[in-house]
Amino acid sequence: MNWRAIMAIVRKDIKVVSQSKGVTIPLIIVPLLLFVGLPAMVGLIPLFENSTAELTSELEPLLSGMPAALRTEFSGLSQIQVVVVLALVYMMAPLYLIIPLMVANVIAADSFTGEKERKTLEALLYTPTTDMELFVAKLLTAWLPALAVSLLGFVVYGLVANLAAWPVMGRIFFPNWTWIILVFWVAPAAAGLGLASMVLVSSRVNSFQEAYQIGSIVVLPVLLLVIGQATGVMYLSPWLVAVLGLLFWAVDVGLLWLGTRTFQRGELIARL
C-alpha cells in the first residue's frame, strides 16, 4: 500500500474535521464534562455531610452485594472513601469507553458524508489510490484522533480525580489495573468498533446527521456495561476487562473484513 498517499488523505481529513464546529464542539464538551466536571463534583461530596450519610445508606445494599474480591479491596476504607473509589474508579470505567466510541463515530460519520456535503468526494474518488488505501485512510482518520483524545482524557482524569479526592483518600489511588487494561487494550478496540461500523454506514447515506444517528447504535453495548455497574449486576475486574477487549477486537476484525469486501468506489461514484 502507498502509505504516503494514505497519510496525505488522513492529514487532509483531520485538518477539515478540526475546522468544523459541528464536529469539534462535541469532542471538546463531552470529554471535559466526564474527565474534569465529574471527578471534581465527586471530590465535593465530603463537604455535604448530610448528603454523604444519605448516599452511604442508599449504597449499603449495593456494597453488601459486591463480590468478595471487591469487598476485600475496600477493606480498611471508610464509608466515604468507598463511595469515592466506587464512583471514580468503578462506575466511571464503562463511561470512559463512550469517549473513544463517540470521537470515532463523529469523525467517521464525516468521513464520506462530509465529503458529499462539501462536494469534494468526487475529486477524492478519482485520486490515484486503491480502494483499500482509501478505506484504510478513512479508518485512520477517525481512529488516531480517538486514541489521542482517550489517552489525553485518561491523563487529565487521573490528575483531576486524585487531586479532587485527596482530602478524602490522602493518597494517589488512581489508576488501578482495571483502568490500565481498559485504556491500552479496550479503548482502542472500542474506537475501532465505532469507526469500522460508521465508515460502512457513512459510505451509503447522504448526510452527516443520518450517518451519525445510524452509527450511534454501537454505543448500546457500552450503555449496558454502565447499567450493569450501576445496578451491581457486574463489576469490571481486570480479567473481565481483558475478555471484553478481546470481544471488541474480534468484532472489529469482522467489521473490517466486511468493509474491505463491500467497499467499492464505483458504488460511491454512482451515489454522487
Side-chain angles (χ1 to χ4, degrees), residues 26 154 209 254:
F154 168 66
Q209 292 296 333

Side-chain angles (χ1 to χ4, degrees), residues 189 192-193 196-197 218 244-257:
L193 179 64
S197 59
V218 296
L244 179 65
L246 185 62
L247 178 61
F248 277 12
W249 280 114
V251 175
D252 288 349
V253 170
L255 289 176
L256 291 174
W257 178 84

Side-chain angles (χ1 to χ4, degrees), residues 68-107:
L70 197 56
R71 289 200 302 270
T72 301
E73 183 176 339
F74 287 161
S75 62
L77 299 180
S78 65
Q79 284 188 325
I80 186 58
Q81 287 176 331
V82 170
V83 170
V84 169
V85 172
L86 189 64
L88 294 182
V89 177
Y90 290 95
M91 296 301 179
M92 182 61 186
L95 287 174
Y96 171 80
L97 293 178
I98 292 178
I99 297 302
L101 265 173
M102 183 201 70
V103 174
N105 272 350
V106 171
I107 296 178

Side-chain angles (χ1 to χ4, degrees), residues 128-165:
T129 55
T130 65
D131 289 351
M132 176 63 73
E133 289 168 350
L134 187 57
F135 185 70
V136 170
K138 290 300 183 180
L139 291 179
L140 291 178
T141 296
W143 194 62
L144 294 178
L147 288 185
V149 172
S150 60
L151 287 174
L152 179 61
F154 168 66
V155 173
V156 171
Y157 179 77
L159 291 174
V160 176
N162 283 303
L163 287 174

Side-chain angles (χ1 to χ4, degrees), residues 108 111-112 135 138-139 194-204:
S111 63
F112 286 109
F135 185 70
K138 290 300 183 180
L139 291 179
L195 70 92
S197 59
M198 184 63 77
V199 169
L200 290 174
V201 170
S202 64
S203 63
R204 289 165 171 78

